[in-house]
Amino acid sequence: MTVARAASSRRSFLGHSYNLVGVVASLVILAWTLVAIFAPYIIPHPIGDIVDDDYFGPMRQGLWLGSDYLGRDMLSRVLMGARYTVGISLAAVSIACFSGVVLGMIAAVTGGWFDTCLSRFLDAMNSIPSKLFGLVVVAAVGSSIPVLILTLAVIYIPGAYRFARALAVNINTMDFITVARVRGESTIYLIGSEILPNIIRPVLADFGLRFVFIVLLLSGLSFLGLGLQPPLADWGALVRENIGGLPFAAPAVIVPSLAIASLTISVNLLIDNLPQKIRDRDA
Amino acid sequence: MKSGVLNLVLKRLAIAIVTLLIVLFAVFFATSMLPGDTASILLGQAATPEAVAGLREAMHLNDPAILRFLRWLVGLLHGDLGTSYANEMPVAALIGGRFVNTMKLAGITTLISVPLALTLGITAAMLRGSVYDRTVTVLSIGVISVPEFMVATLAVLLFAVYLKWLPALSSVNEAHSLADLVRIYSMPVITLTFVISAQMIRMTRAAVIETLSTPYVEMALLKGASRSRMVLKHALPNALGPIVNAVALSLSYLVGGVIIVETIFNYPGIAKLMVDAVATRDLPLIQSCAMIFCLGYLLLITAADIVAIMSNPRLR
């Protein structure tokens, strides 16, 4: 993905170049991470409790984000939703990137028919639209948290593979790899100690982008009712269950949408504002 | 050199066909992992084991997966998409009208979003760094960063709730006049246009900016060509390949987009049909819908690749 340059707001402070947008974005991400970890301890009401006589109640004291379609506290539900959205996406993106990067590096180092077959196969997997893949798998094996994590991971392995392989192929032509090969080093040593340190920074930036894709896909699936099943609810599911409040612009349907947007936009902005050498594909 | 291009294109087409086979197998395999036995689901709880075994035999469910796959494939080639489990109708009949609806939606969206996105993308690239460019860039990043359903809900909030211009839900059957038609299609089309255009604007802008940074464009600038002449006469013809590539790639996002949009707006297209089929676990229907989507997606990305090959002057 080509990245818009936000060079205008870059400042220098004590020799470190930092960027206001990047700092704000990291703060938002940090905040959501903390919420995801500590959600059970900070929610004002248990998520299943009906605390409001009215449904789709407005924002007011005590119910800071209003109430949902059953009169449950929206703030608590959104805070707990962060757990599922961030947790599932993080688990999925970790699996996807780990498998993709390891396979990509092995393919680049070994080459030959292994590389060709794997690349062909994963390219074919990439030709299945992601939402469709999710739909079919959920139809086939039903929806549960492990299934969701694995499905999301499988969908994004080909992309991570392609990205890592392209980087690793470049490194693979370098002299120090040839030297290591001549020394008789094993494939595991080659990918772990010679290639990985040289591609880790763009791979981490790619990790962030893929995290955004996964959050969006997970929310989309949950919105279709194919993601997390009640009583659990991630942000996409919260939008779905409160969609009835849309005609009167209830906070219950707007707030979870904003939560998703704040997370994904922050990650995108953070990556866009990373120093050039970390971000660039051919760094 | 002409044959070089032809070879590359043929190779790309061959890859597309192999990919299609793999994708078809993946779809078939995924849907046949369905837990529970299709035969016993069909016959219900009260079925005797003998009846279930008989139906399994009749439906060839005891055959190895690869054999069933081949049989399904041969059926496809004959235009036989199978019979829906849920209501015993041929899948082809169920899909027919719905497919036309979805194509209409996709077609109208394409007609609106392509000119819109190209204009915005190219002008943003021309005025790179200006307030206009930054507004367009930030907005398109914003739209890309949020899920499609959020674009849809925001559109409903804005146009149906606050402005009260359009109805929130649409039903194609109620269309009696042109005005009705506009009202029905506007919400889904607006949502899809936003989603598709954002992608297209970004890619188009990137393609034009890349061309604008080449030496021959600098040459045009140095010889004193005006800015518009520089872009329209010198840069655009060369950026055309990458732009068409960007258009085709962006249109492939329609596939994901329609799934969400048809569900939200209750639009009777194949995406809605498929989501409903997932709910009722109607295998043949899911397989056929998935196949149509994969085919469309594959066509678009293959087209994008072929355009990229053809437009590369070094290969011509």
Side-chain angles (χ1 to χ4, degrees):
Chain A
M1 188 180 280
T2 35
V3 188
R5 308 268 142 95
S8 53
S9 51
R10 202 173 288 281
R11 263 157 254 191
S12 184
F13 177 71
L14 292 178
H16 287 277
S17 125
Y18 76 98
N19 179 312
L20 196 63
V21 182
V23 171
V24 172
S26 355
L27 286 180
V28 174
I29 298 167
L30 183 70
W32 279 128
T33 315
L34 291 177
V35 166
I37 297 171
F38 297 111
Y41 310 106
I42 54 175
I43 50 173
H45 303 277
I47 48 168
D49 278 15
I50 294 172
V51 290
D52 194 4
D53 306 329
D54 207 6
Y55 50 89
F56 294 129
M59 300 186 189
R60 60 183 156 86
Q61 199 171 7
L63 292 172
W64 299 106
L65 295 179
S67 57
D68 77 348
Y69 75 117
L70 290 177
R72 294 175 294 192
D73 177 36
M74 212 45 216
L75 177 61
S76 311
R77 292 185 70 77
V78 169
L79 292 182
M80 278 304 271
R83 249 187 162 206
Y84 299 113
T85 299
V86 176
I88 292 177
S89 306
L90 210 54
V93 75
S94 305
I95 298 175
C97 281
F98 179 79
S99 332
V101 170
V102 169
L103 286 175
M105 288 192 301
I106 295 178
V109 170
T110 49
W113 63 267
F114 176 76
D115 182 23
T116 314
C117 289
L118 196 62
S119 296
R120 252 310 56 82
F121 175 71
L122 288 177
D123 274 356
M125 294 290 289
N126 221 4
S127 313
I128 305 180
S130 51
K131 259 193 210 73
L132 195 84
F133 193 102
L135 272 176
V136 171
V137 172
V138 169
V141 290
S143 187
S144 63
I145 291 181
V147 168
L148 275 177
I149 292 178
L150 274 183
T151 311
L152 293 169
V154 167
I155 291 175
Y156 285 101
I157 285 176
Y161 166 83
R162 201 183 233 200
F163 183 76
R165 184 183 166 277
L167 290 170
V169 162
N170 283 340
I171 305 290
N172 198 32
T173 57
M174 303 266 184
D175 286 343
F176 60 85
I177 301 285
T178 319
V179 171
R181 260 186 227 279
V182 171
R183 270 203 319 263
E185 302 288 4
S186 66
T187 306
I188 295 176
Y189 176 85
L190 280 179
I191 64 168
S193 304
E194 302 283 356
I195 293 191
L196 186 62
N198 287 297
I199 64 170
I200 189 73
R201 288 190 295 192
V203 160
L204 284 181
D206 180 61
F207 181 91
L209 277 182
R210 233 157 274 286
F211 175 75
V212 172
F213 295 152
I214 290 185
V215 169
L216 293 182
L217 182 57
L218 172 66
S219 308
L221 284 178
S222 287
F223 179 79
L224 290 175
L226 302 164
L228 227 49
Q229 300 300 315
L232 307 181
D234 65 336
W235 290 337
L238 286 178
V239 178
R240 173 190 171 81
E241 60 186 27
N242 293 312
I243 198 78
L246 191 59
F248 24 98
V253 58
I254 298 170
V255 173
S257 305
L258 288 181
I260 300 172
S262 69
L263 180 65
T264 50
I265 293 180
S266 297
V267 176
N268 266 344
L269 285 179
L270 178 65
I271 294 170
D272 273 15
N273 290 298
L274 284 176
Q276 187 98 29
K277 62 179 177 189
I278 298 183
R279 197 179 63 202
D280 269 9
R281 281 172 172 241
D282 43 14
Chain B
M1 286 310 267
K2 202 93 185 156
S3 62
V5 179
L6 196 67
N7 268 342
L8 275 176
V9 170
L10 285 179
K11 205 173 153 196
R12 186 64 193 81
L13 284 175
I15 289 173
I17 292 171
V18 173
T19 308
L20 181 65
L21 278 177
I22 298 180
V23 169
L24 286 181
F25 186 73
V27 167
F28 181 83
F29 181 72
T31 43
S32 54
M33 282 189 336
L34 196 116
D37 181 37
T38 316
S40 36
I41 293 173
L42 276 181
L43 291 175
Q45 301 253 319
T48 60
E50 290 78 23
V52 173
L55 189 64
R56 283 185 67 85
E57 196 60 48
M59 291 176 72
H60 303 289
L61 285 177
N62 293 326
D63 295 350
I66 187 80
L67 209 67
R68 279 185 287 142
F69 175 64
L70 288 176
R71 196 172 286 130
W72 182 60
L73 213 57
V74 171
L76 280 186
L77 290 176
H78 286 103
D80 173 20
L81 297 175
T83 313
S84 160
Y85 289 168
N87 49 13
E88 311 268 308
M89 274 170 69
V91 170
L94 280 173
I95 288 181
R98 297 262 193 156
F99 180 71
V100 175
N101 282 343
T102 298
M103 288 314 284
K104 266 189 213 156
L105 187 58
I108 298 176
T109 308
T110 309
L111 282 183
I112 296 175
S113 63
V114 171
L116 180 78
L118 290 188
T119 317
L120 285 174
I122 294 172
T123 46
M126 281 170 68
L127 304 171
R128 190 180 174 190
S130 65
V131 178
Y132 169 74
D133 173 36
R134 266 191 248 153
T135 317
V136 170
T137 310
V138 167
L139 280 181
S140 53
I141 292 183
V143 173
I144 289 174
S145 305
V146 301
E148 291 99 343
F149 67 77
M150 191 172 157
V151 179
T153 43
L154 285 180
V156 170
L157 270 183
L158 183 64
F159 294 111
V161 179
Y162 289 124
L163 297 174
K164 295 194 171 41
W165 287 351
L166 302 161
L169 290 176
S170 57
S171 163
V172 173
N173 302 332
E174 289 167 17
H176 300 301
S177 65
L178 188 66
D180 283 351
L181 216 62
V182 170
R183 282 161 59 86
I184 288 161
Y185 277 101
S186 45
M187 287 306 274
V189 168
I190 288 172
T191 309
L192 274 178
T193 303
F194 264 104
V195 176
I196 305 298
S197 302
Q199 291 285 356
M200 223 182 287
I201 289 170
R202 274 175 75 93
M203 290 194 219
T204 311
R205 181 178 171 276
V208 175
I209 281 181
E210 205 180 313
T211 321
L212 283 178
S213 63
T214 50
Y216 66 84
V217 175
E218 199 182 351
M219 177 65 209
L221 181 74
L222 291 177
K223 79 172 186 193
S226 70
R227 209 173 165 76
S228 56
R229 186 183 160 81
M230 188 178 92
V231 172
L232 296 177
K233 284 267 177 184
H234 294 269
L236 263 192
N238 287 293
L240 213 56
I243 289 177
V244 176
N245 183 308
V247 169
L249 273 185
S250 310
L251 288 180
S252 68
Y253 284 86
L254 269 174
V255 173
V258 287
I259 295 181
I260 298 282
V261 165
E262 288 189 1
T263 313
I264 292 187
F265 297 110
N266 222 353
Y267 182 89
I270 32 176
K272 180 86 175 62
L273 185 69
M274 182 170 169
V275 174
D276 294 344
V278 170
T280 54
R281 302 209 155 178
D282 192 342
L283 270 186
L285 198 51
I286 299 173
Q287 280 169 348
S288 305
C289 294
M291 205 192 58
I292 291 175
F293 278 119
C294 288
L295 201 63
Y297 190 72
L298 203 58
L299 272 178
L300 284 168
I301 51 179
T302 308
D305 277 3
I306 289 179
V307 167
I309 294 172
M310 306 264 275
S311 67
N312 187 343
R314 266 159 296 191
L315 295 172
R316 230 180 279 148

